[in-house]
Amino acid sequence: MDSGTPKRLQRRGSRANIGIDVELYRPEFGYGEGDTPSTKDEKLWELMSSYQGSDMKSIQRSIVNHVEYTLARTRFNFESKGAYQATAFSIRDRLIESWNDTQQHFTSVDTKRVYYLSMEFLLGRLMQNALINLDIENNYKEALLDLGYKLEDIYEEEVDPALGNGGLGRLAACFLDSMASLDYPAWGYGLRYNYGIFRQAIVKGYQCELPDYWLKDLNPWEIERDDIQYKIRFYGHIRKYKDARGIERSIWEGGEEVLATAFDIPIPGWDTFNTINLRLWKSGPSNEFDFSLFNHGDYFKAVESRQRAEYITSVLYPNDNTMQGKELRLKQEYFFVAATIKDVLRRFGKKSRDWSELPEKVAIQLNDTHPAIGIPELLRVLIDEEHMEWNQAWDLVNRTFAYTNHTVLPEALEKWSVDLLQHLLPRHLEIIYLINFYFLESVKKQWPDKPEVLTNMSLIEESTPKMVRMANLCIVSSHAVNGVAELHSNLIKSKLFKLFHQFFPGKFQNKTNGVTPRRWIYCANRPLADLITRYLGDNQWLHDLDLLGNLNPYQNDPDFVRDWKEVKMTAKKGLAEWVKKNCGFEIPTDSLYDVMVKRIHEYKRQLLNALYCIHRYLSIKDMTKEERQHVVPRVTFCGGKAAPGYYSAKKIIKLFNSISDVVNNDPDIGDLFKVVFLPNYCVSAAQVIIPAAELNQHISTAGTEASGTSNMKFAMNGGLIIGTMDGANVEIAEECGVQNMFIFGADVKAVHDIRSNLHKGGDVKIGTRLKRVLETIKSGRFGDAGEYSTLVDPLFEGNDFYLVCHDFYSYVEAQEKVDESYKKPEEWWAKSIAMTAGSGKFSSDRTIREYAEQIWGLEPCSIPKPSLSAMQRIRSFPNMIKQDEHNQHEHGHEHDGVNGQAPDDDKEENKDHDHDNDLSPSSKKKKGKKDKKKKHEDD
């Protein structure tokens, strides 16, 4: 097969192909019409006219300069950590160049932007992803090797940013990668947590939560923005007054203020020069400390407000079992959205325009309900600060916001007590009541004789205490609401939000989740990526994942299957090494690798997996020596974190570890069966685990999982799925072929019927094999029986809400089919190849295109390509456009960029750069009276 040289414009690595003496010149932006550049401006442009070199010498010089000038170390003190940090700073320099140019271009053409608001961004390690997207990984590999370092070892020095916990945060990270790669003008907004949720350690089988202080060492990827700061208010009171027209107005005043400071992380796209931004907010005091108290000797009181302010972004998801914890969580959410809204409106206000243009220039996507308080915040700003009428403000807000729902479980929908909101955000509660009043009035008109409808649809839950339903707030206030899988979207329309769907026809949509193949195949499983590229001829499949369908003809190709098996074995050996390093024991690589990694929760049914492990163990123990020769050797892996206060989930972790202790040390079993709990599951661990999986488990009770994205990652890497028809499993079965999966269990309709029967007093049918498993646990075989009574006793008592007992035998049967298929290698590997070939739909690129086209109304906006000479640089100066167009007409050619094309949308006057400390001349020019705007105090 042809090696498949990539047929695409290489981003920076192309310089290595052209020659080390060739410079790539950056696109120009800058002067407004009629402005004349100063000598200083011209000098700055001259000094920053070209991109940094990507040849070995330029890279090495950049790295060693950071060793000495950034880290203040010498070439004699250049160990692995220093090498990582200096290399990261070197890469960041190159990111910043295109990051600045991208934001400058967005501002220049005045494009609409989307702002993606999420409390979590589970980014994973950034170095490899940046090098791949910048197309300079090989350049850095050679440069570092010449300095005596292996790039692979440098990768391992990086700590995972602890900015998320699970699928919600990982989805947001994938979306950022796709938005950048597809050239969409987008920003991500979140919080800069000092500590992640926790670092999981397993001590004597128990989960122990340790502080995850990921910032203890220098974080070279972020840029602190002292020039972007906002004061955020909490508590206080509302003062009423009447304006000149006699209209009652409100002012929120008093209370306390904290300071939000921006930290930016550049997000590069693949196969593009665009680099977008993730802006994270850090909390701090508006005043350092009370000097008068300090002078009077009350030192602790003097810094109390500082500490209280810094707590807001200290920890991801503080425990909310106490009232103080609840208040801190709500503080986090408001702090996050208040700073973001201020930042978005500042950017919108850079050009002189009417407020009616807001939805034409701004789209805000709420990733779940955590940022929902941003809705009344934007209303407050428009009404109280901009003195807008309610109807106009409401129309703008409704056309600006869109909401993604991530759950089908009513108990998982976020609510805040009225009392807490009144105490912390009094004006926002008042606005929420106004929204509710106008909304219920419109509901009454449609259903005048159904008071129960008002109760169900109200934003206020009339409970004790009264609660604000944040999901209802999002639905009422957004122009679009979407689920994240076809089944999930249908369930929220037919059950969870049925009345809202009837009241707002057309508002509810589906946007099936996706993941980025750049990280989850190319970064995580390079041998597989190379194999795919070799057989498909180039790497365009990384941008168009549907091209994987062209692998189907190779399912029975002996050479391809042989290479496919080698790729999987390489990944399995990598996981075995990881287990030895992190768990302290060895596992065989010639066994079937069966993996279940996800957040530990009862609805995800890790308990069902644990019960099957015991059943498999007991079954093997019952066999004769001859019968055991026909057993498929298997290693079952389970990993995931349980929330600190979720005791049932923590008991499941303990049970898995106890099973592991018994099974792995039983000489009768040997290598026929091993059970491994994988500690501290995170993105970097997933990049080792997922490629190695031959079987992966997605076994949630049907109708409980919104989507799931790990199932997509496993499918892309050729892992076969054993699972229920829940979440995205349904669509994976459609795309990859249900015959290539092992489906079991009750479907959504059956689950409803079974639960109804149980509610009416029906029996839970345990059966002899499951009864034996449960009684083995109660016998103390896996430790203190009382330890697991909260897991086992409810099943005996008929309390089986998640249908563990009902689905157990169907699950066992599916597992038996797995063993039979694994005994037939040709069948197994054909299924594995089919899973990868059918996974094209599940690229996050497809998902983001659907959001952009159907919800955000967003167009791609590619920055101008670099030029090969200073004379040919693409210019976007408005006062030169007419002459350029004339020249093109006269001479029949365009500006000569790298690809011979100039941008066709650089027609708007550039008044300011989106990065507030840029050196572009336009940021130093005075605006005319007509365009004069009040700028941020720290711009």
Side-chain angles (χ1 to χ4, degrees):
M1 270 291 171
D2 185 15
S3 61
T5 302
K7 298 175 182 177
R8 64 182 177 87
L9 171 66
Q10 292 185 316
R11 187 167 186 184
R12 298 187 191 279
S14 58
R15 245 177 293 183
N17 298 332
I18 297 171
I20 62 173
D21 294 329
V22 175
E23 289 186 278
L24 288 181
Y25 287 87
R26 300 168 67 177
E28 293 183 2
F29 307 93
Y31 320 119
E33 189 171 355
D35 287 340
T36 303
S38 67
T39 302
K40 177 183 176 184
D41 297 330
E42 291 285 7
K43 188 63 178 177
L44 289 172
W45 277 112
E46 179 185 340
L47 291 170
M48 303 173 69
S49 63
S50 61
Y51 288 121
Q52 292 198 29
S54 294
D55 58 284
M56 181 186 293
K57 194 169 184 179
S58 296
I59 290 171
Q60 289 175 335
R61 185 184 297 114
S62 173
I63 292 172
V64 297
N65 280 347
H66 279 296
V67 169
E68 185 151 13
Y69 303 130
T70 305
L71 303 178
R73 299 184 184 182
T74 72
R75 58 188 181 277
F76 308 110
N77 183 23
F78 190 16
E79 86 295 343
S80 293
K81 182 177 287 186
Y84 158 71
Q85 291 173 333
T87 302
F89 277 119
S90 170
I91 298 166
R92 194 188 76 169
D93 288 346
R94 288 153 174 80
L95 287 172
I96 288 174
E97 289 175 336
S98 52
W99 177 60
N100 274 326
D101 288 347
T102 302
Q103 300 306 326
Q104 180 67 64
H105 181 60
F106 292 166
T107 299
S108 176
V109 301
D110 195 22
T111 185
K112 181 177 184 177
R113 308 186 203 204
V114 64
Y115 300 99
Y116 194 83
L117 276 57
S118 178
M119 286 288 282
E120 297 184 39
F121 285 94
L122 202 55
L123 297 171
R125 292 172 176 172
L126 295 170
M127 179 177 284
Q128 184 183 25
N129 192 72
L131 287 175
I132 286 169
N133 282 8
L134 290 172
D135 198 18
I136 51 176
E137 186 182 36
N138 287 335
N139 308 50
Y140 268 80
K141 183 179 291 186
E142 293 172 5
L144 283 164
L145 192 61
D146 193 54
L147 291 174
Y149 297 93
K150 289 184 178 180
L151 181 59
E152 292 77 10
D153 296 336
I154 298 297
Y155 286 154
E156 292 302 312
E157 289 291 330
E158 186 172 359
V159 176
D160 282 36
L163 298 170
N165 179 40
L168 186 81
R170 187 53 232 165
L171 179 74
C174 285
F175 280 3
L176 287 180
D177 181 85
S178 288
M179 286 186 273
S181 298
L182 297 174
D183 294 335
Y184 285 117
W187 282 63
Y189 277 98
L191 290 178
R192 181 184 180 269
Y193 305 102
N194 292 337
Y195 294 87
I197 189 166
F198 61 84
R199 182 165 58 85
Q200 183 191 56
I202 303 299
V203 179
K204 296 182 179 179
Y206 295 94
Q207 170 180 289
C208 293
E209 298 98 27
L210 305 176
D212 187 6
Y213 187 37
W214 68 286
L215 290 170
K216 66 182 178 68
D217 294 319
L218 184 67
N219 177 20
W221 302 105
E222 66 183 11
I223 301 105
E224 182 174 2
R225 303 301 303 272
D226 290 340
D227 54 327
I228 304 293
Q229 295 181 329
Y230 302 102
K231 290 184 178 180
I232 309 300
R233 186 185 308 278
F234 295 103
Y235 312 110
H237 60 273
I238 306 166
R239 179 167 61 84
K240 302 289 185 180
Y241 73 99
K242 290 191 176 181
D243 65 15
R245 293 176 294 167
I247 298 173
E248 185 178 79
R249 297 288 183 183
S250 299
I251 295 180
W252 181 28
E253 56 189 13
E256 67 178 29
E257 291 182 327
V258 300
L259 198 65
T261 300
F263 284 73
D264 290 343
I265 299 177
I267 307 293
W270 187 87
D271 197 20
T272 176
F273 289 86
N274 282 39
T275 295
I276 62 172
N277 194 41
L278 170 60
R279 177 158 286 177
L280 305 174
W281 300 107
K282 178 185 177 182
S283 61
S286 56
N287 296 301
E288 284 296 312
F289 67 96
D290 191 320
F291 198 70
S292 62
L293 287 173
F294 184 85
N295 282 341
H296 283 87
D298 197 344
Y299 307 123
F300 294 105
K301 191 73 173 177
V303 297
E304 182 180 357
S305 64
R306 175 189 180 91
Q307 293 172 332
R308 194 164 57 245
E310 290 176 344
Y311 286 155
I312 294 173
T313 55
S314 288
V315 182
L316 169 65
Y317 295 148
N319 193 324
D320 61 355
N321 289 339
T322 65
M323 184 53 66
Q324 292 90 339
K326 287 182 173 61
E327 182 174 316
L328 183 55
R329 276 212 188 189
L330 183 55
K331 267 189 171 182
Q332 279 188 340
E333 294 183 5
Y334 177 67
F335 172 83
F336 159 40
V337 297
T340 299
I341 295 295
K342 288 176 186 292
D343 205 43
V344 169
L345 294 183
R346 174 187 59 82
R347 193 170 299 112
F348 172 77
K350 282 183 175 181
K351 289 186 181 287
S352 179
R353 60 172 114 243
D354 192 84
W355 277 108
S356 62
E357 295 182 54
L358 183 67
E360 308 306 319
K361 297 298 178 183
V362 173
I364 299 177
Q365 187 69 39
L366 304 177
N367 191 29
D368 214 341
T369 55
H370 304 124
I373 200 70
I375 293 166
E377 169 64 7
L378 181 54
L379 277 168
R380 184 192 68 80
V381 172
L382 296 178
I383 294 169
D384 294 355
E385 297 180 8
E386 300 298 331
H387 305 110
M388 198 175 291
E389 299 299 329
W390 174 271
N391 288 341
Q392 183 187 5
W394 175 252
D395 176 66
L396 295 178
V397 167
N398 185 257
R399 291 163 56 205
T400 299
F401 280 98
Y403 160 56
T404 300
N405 173 271
H406 283 279
T407 186
V408 292
L409 305 176
E411 63 272 18
L413 295 174
E414 188 177 38
K415 301 173 186 177
W416 290 111
S417 79
V418 167
D419 291 342
L420 178 57
L421 277 163
Q422 177 66 51
H423 174 60
L424 191 66
L425 304 169
R427 177 58 176 151
H428 297 76
L429 179 63
E430 193 173 73
I431 291 171
I432 288 169
Y433 269 108
L434 276 171
I435 296 171
N436 197 44
F437 170 77
Y438 290 123
F439 170 62
L440 292 184
E441 286 298 306
S442 62
V443 173
K444 285 180 188 177
K445 291 178 182 177
Q446 181 158 329
W447 292 309
D449 301 321
K450 296 183 178 180
E452 70 280 3
V453 168
L454 300 180
T455 301
N456 293 331
M457 299 182 75
S458 174
L459 274 56
I460 309 300
E461 181 180 273
E462 299 295 335
S463 54
T464 305
K466 285 186 178 182
M467 307 293 285
V468 176
R469 298 161 167 160
M470 304 307 283
N472 291 18
L473 172 64
C474 289
I475 294 169
V476 170
S477 308
S478 300
H479 69 273
V481 177
N482 71 278
V484 290
E486 196 70 50
L487 176 62
H488 169 233
S489 297
N490 289 336
L491 285 173
I492 64 175
K493 288 190 290 186
S494 62
K495 292 187 176 181
L496 194 61
F497 301 124
K498 182 177 180 179
L499 291 172
F500 287 98
H501 175 51
Q502 293 172 358
F503 188 79
F504 296 113
K507 177 177 282 196
F508 286 78
Q509 304 182 21
N510 176 59
K511 298 289 172 282
T512 298
N513 283 342
V515 300
T516 170
R518 272 82 64 180
R519 180 177 289 272
W520 292 109
I521 303 180
Y522 197 81
C523 288
N525 199 348
R526 188 64 58 82
L528 177 60
D530 291 343
L531 176 62
I532 293 171
T533 296
R534 191 165 80 245
Y535 275 79
L536 294 187
D538 59 37
N539 62 7
Q540 281 304 304
W541 58 272
L542 284 168
H543 225 326
D544 181 3
L545 204 62
D546 286 334
L547 292 173
L548 291 182
N550 293 327
L551 294 175
N552 273 317
Y554 298 109
Q555 287 184 28
N556 299 309
D557 182 294
D559 293 336
F560 185 75
V561 172
R562 181 197 64 235
D563 294 345
W564 191 269
K565 290 166 63 177
E566 289 177 1
V567 165
K568 185 62 71 173
M569 179 54 71
T570 299
K572 289 171 70 174
K573 288 177 179 177
L575 178 54
E577 291 175 8
W578 190 97
V579 168
K580 185 176 181 179
K581 177 182 177 181
N582 292 277
C583 303
F585 56 86
E586 295 185 356
I587 55 173
T589 57
D590 57 354
S591 300
L592 188 160
Y593 275 20
D594 168 10
V595 176
M596 185 178 189
V597 282
K598 53 187 75 235
R599 183 167 48 91
I600 310 296
H601 198 290
E602 287 169 287
Y603 84 81
K604 294 179 183 289
R605 298 202 297 191
Q606 284 93 348
L607 178 59
L608 179 59
N609 189 1
L611 297 178
Y612 173 74
C613 286
I614 296 173
H615 167 74
R616 189 176 184 90
Y617 168 68
L618 295 176
S619 298
I620 296 173
K621 289 284 285 184
D622 290 342
M623 293 178 185
T624 64
K625 187 174 182 180
E626 290 72 23
E627 289 172 327
R628 290 176 187 172
Q629 292 178 1
H630 301 287
V631 171
V632 173
R634 184 185 293 215
V635 181
T636 294
F637 303 87
C638 183
K641 296 178 181 180
Y646 194 173
Y647 299 109
S648 293
K650 295 173 85 168
K651 293 298 183 185
I652 292 171
I653 292 175
K654 177 63 173 73
L655 178 59
F656 250 106
N657 282 288
S658 296
I659 294 169
S660 177
D661 288 341
V662 172
V663 172
N664 297 353
N665 293 294
D666 191 327
D668 290 342
I669 301 300
D671 284 346
L672 284 180
F673 189 35
K674 298 290 183 185
V675 178
V676 181
F677 189 86
L678 303 165
N680 202 41
Y681 182 62
C682 59
V683 176
S684 57
Q687 289 184 217
V688 177
I689 297 164
I690 289 173
E694 293 169 292
L695 180 72
N696 56 102
Q697 304 204 31
H698 305 278
I699 59 177
S700 54
T701 312
T704 59
E705 185 74 82
S707 171
T709 51
S710 64
N711 46 6
M712 302 170 186
K713 299 164 193 170
F714 283 106
M716 287 181 183
N717 284 274
L720 274 61
I721 291 175
I722 181 170
T724 54
M725 288 302 256
D726 194 28
N729 279 359
V730 177
E731 289 161 86
I732 293 175
E734 293 171 356
E735 298 293 320
C736 301
V738 70
Q739 71 276 11
N740 298 312
M741 299 168 65
F742 303 94
I743 301 298
F744 73 93
D747 61 18
V748 172
K749 183 180 184 306
V751 168
H752 178 267
D753 294 341
I754 294 163
R755 284 177 173 167
S756 296
N757 182 56
L758 291 175
H759 185 70
K760 294 173 184 175
D763 293 332
V764 172
K765 296 178 181 179
I766 292 179
T768 55
R769 286 180 291 176
L770 179 55
K771 184 178 180 181
R772 184 189 181 194
V773 169
L774 297 175
E775 287 181 342
T776 302
I777 296 173
K778 290 179 72 69
S779 73
R781 185 86 167 264
F782 301 100
D784 181 8
E787 189 94 59
Y788 311 114
S789 60
T790 55
L791 301 178
V792 174
D793 291 349
L795 300 181
F796 278 119
E797 295 165 1
N799 184 5
D800 187 22
F801 184 75
Y802 294 109
L803 306 193
V804 171
C805 296
H806 180 276
D807 283 355
F808 178 79
Y809 292 97
S810 176
Y811 180 50
V812 170
E813 184 179 343
Q815 291 283 16
E816 290 169 351
K817 291 178 181 178
V818 169
D819 287 340
E820 289 305 311
S821 183
Y822 200 73
K823 290 176 182 178
K824 303 170 185 175
E826 290 184 2
E827 176 186 306
W828 183 271
W829 295 115
K831 289 176 182 288
S832 175
I833 294 165
M835 292 300 291
T836 299
S839 60
K841 175 180 178 177
F842 305 106
S843 168
S844 50
D845 292 353
R846 186 266 315 153
T847 312
I848 288 300
R849 281 195 191 96
E850 291 179 0
Y851 273 103
E853 294 169 4
Q854 300 167 23
I855 293 181
W856 302 333
L858 204 63
E859 295 288 338
C861 185
S862 305
I863 70 168
K865 304 299 185 289
S867 305
L868 297 179
S869 74
M871 294 299 293
Q872 295 173 340
R873 288 171 66 188
I874 296 170
R875 290 163 292 183
S876 60
F877 301 162
N879 59 333
M880 302 181 73
I881 287 176
K882 290 183 179 179
Q883 183 61 42
D884 289 341
E885 290 174 346
H886 173 74
N887 291 341
Q888 289 176 31
H889 178 73
E890 290 293 316
H891 301 292
H893 65 80
E894 297 179 343
H895 295 298
D896 296 321
V898 167
N899 61 352
Q901 292 185 342
D904 59 6
D905 51 0
D906 283 4
K907 300 175 183 177
E908 296 293 331
E909 179 177 349
N910 173 30
K911 289 295 184 185
D912 204 354
H913 187 308
D914 205 34
H915 293 308
D916 306 280
N917 64 347
D918 81 292
L919 299 173
S920 65
S922 62
S923 65
K924 299 173 172 57
K925 300 298 176 184
K926 293 183 179 180
K927 300 185 178 183
K929 292 180 180 178
K930 221 173 181 183
D931 293 335
K932 192 171 183 180
K933 303 291 290 182
K934 184 181 184 301
K935 287 180 65 64
H936 183 267
E937 63 187 65
D938 293 306
D939 266 11

